[in-house]
Amino acid sequence: MNELDATHKEFLLREAQSLLDFARGSVIESGGFGYLDSEGKVDPSKPLESYVQARMIQVFGVGHKLGLASSEKLIEHGLNSLTGYFQDKENGGFYKSTDGKGMPLNQRKNAYDHMFVLLAATTAMDLGMKGADQLFSHVDSIIDQYFWDSQFKMMSNEWNQDFSEQDSYRGINENMHAVEALLAAFD
């Protein structure tokens, strides 16, 4: 495959910069990242979601690695959100959504969200961010212990809050994201 010519490369870098600039609108000063509306403003009617926090860490981490922005503070902001608002300190794992004060709105634990947390931890570790190793170890152990289903050779979908009741559903979406996250973690 031929390398991109300078014009195409410049165009793609401008587009990436534009997306990063838009993503900066997701920062909530009190903590975390929110859903963005079409104007690039946080939609206050939406809860905080763990996968959004994790994806923003990934987005800002990739932008940082590309040299498009110095994003350490944004990545730290996201890591603090995951461990402060979403991590279940009593039972382990991460809540799907919270009210922004750390009160879970949905107490189910989903593989989908945990895959994004693993991806975020991997990105943060790659950048040498403080606390990323601990986040990685925690989410990796939860995935191994609760979500990997050796009988079906795929991720299980969902557990209740204390991991005592497992949903029997096995979906493709969380497994697709597991491939992405596990490949990044392996690297």
Side-chain angles (χ1 to χ4, degrees):
M1 185 156 122
N2 296 335
E3 285 193 39
L4 293 174
D5 66 39
T7 304
H8 291 113
K9 185 175 182 179
E10 186 179 313
F11 168 78
L12 291 172
L13 289 172
R14 274 195 320 270
E15 287 300 305
Q17 186 65 60
S18 174
L19 291 170
L20 282 170
D21 293 344
F22 187 83
R24 280 190 188 84
S26 67
V27 175
I28 299 171
E29 290 304 319
S30 61
F33 300 104
Y35 278 93
L36 291 176
D37 63 18
S38 61
E39 304 284 321
K41 307 271 190 257
V42 172
D43 181 344
S45 71
K46 305 278 189 190
L48 292 181
E49 297 266 316
S50 58
Y51 87 92
V52 171
Q53 313 311 301
R55 267 300 185 203
M56 289 293 106
I57 292 168
Q58 173 69 7
V59 164
F60 292 122
V62 169
H64 186 83
K65 288 174 78 170
L66 288 173
L68 296 174
S70 177
S71 299
E72 291 101 338
K73 294 233 185 274
L74 292 169
I75 296 165
E76 182 180 357
H77 183 80
L79 292 171
N80 290 338
S81 174
L82 282 174
T83 58
Y85 293 153
F86 294 93
Q87 189 171 359
D88 181 345
K89 306 285 196 256
E90 185 177 332
N91 301 296
F94 295 85
Y95 296 115
K96 178 179 183 54
S97 59
T98 71
D99 65 0
K101 295 179 180 136
M103 294 303 298
L105 298 175
N106 180 332
Q107 297 181 350
R108 304 293 292 176
K109 308 275 178 69
N110 293 297
Y112 181 86
D113 301 300
H114 285 75
M115 295 311 131
F116 283 114
V117 172
L118 180 64
L119 184 62
T122 300
T123 299
M125 278 178 59
D126 189 40
L127 295 172
M129 299 298 298
K130 182 180 175 189
D133 291 348
Q134 293 85 358
L135 179 62
F136 181 91
S137 293
H138 177 71
V139 73
D140 184 50
S141 70
I142 293 293
I143 290 168
D144 285 348
Q145 186 174 358
Y146 296 109
F147 290 105
W148 176 247
D149 187 326
S150 58
Q151 178 185 355
F152 292 103
K153 306 289 188 237
M154 63 190 313
M155 297 295 167
S156 62
N157 187 53
E158 186 177 82
W159 287 86
N160 66 339
Q161 183 175 355
D162 67 0
F163 293 104
S164 63
E165 295 175 22
Q166 182 182 37
D167 187 303
S168 63
Y169 179 73
R170 303 290 181 273
I172 212 66
N173 195 31
E174 59 272 356
N175 283 281
M176 174 188 65
H177 290 293
V179 170
E180 175 189 22
L182 293 170
L183 284 171
F186 179 80
D187 281 348

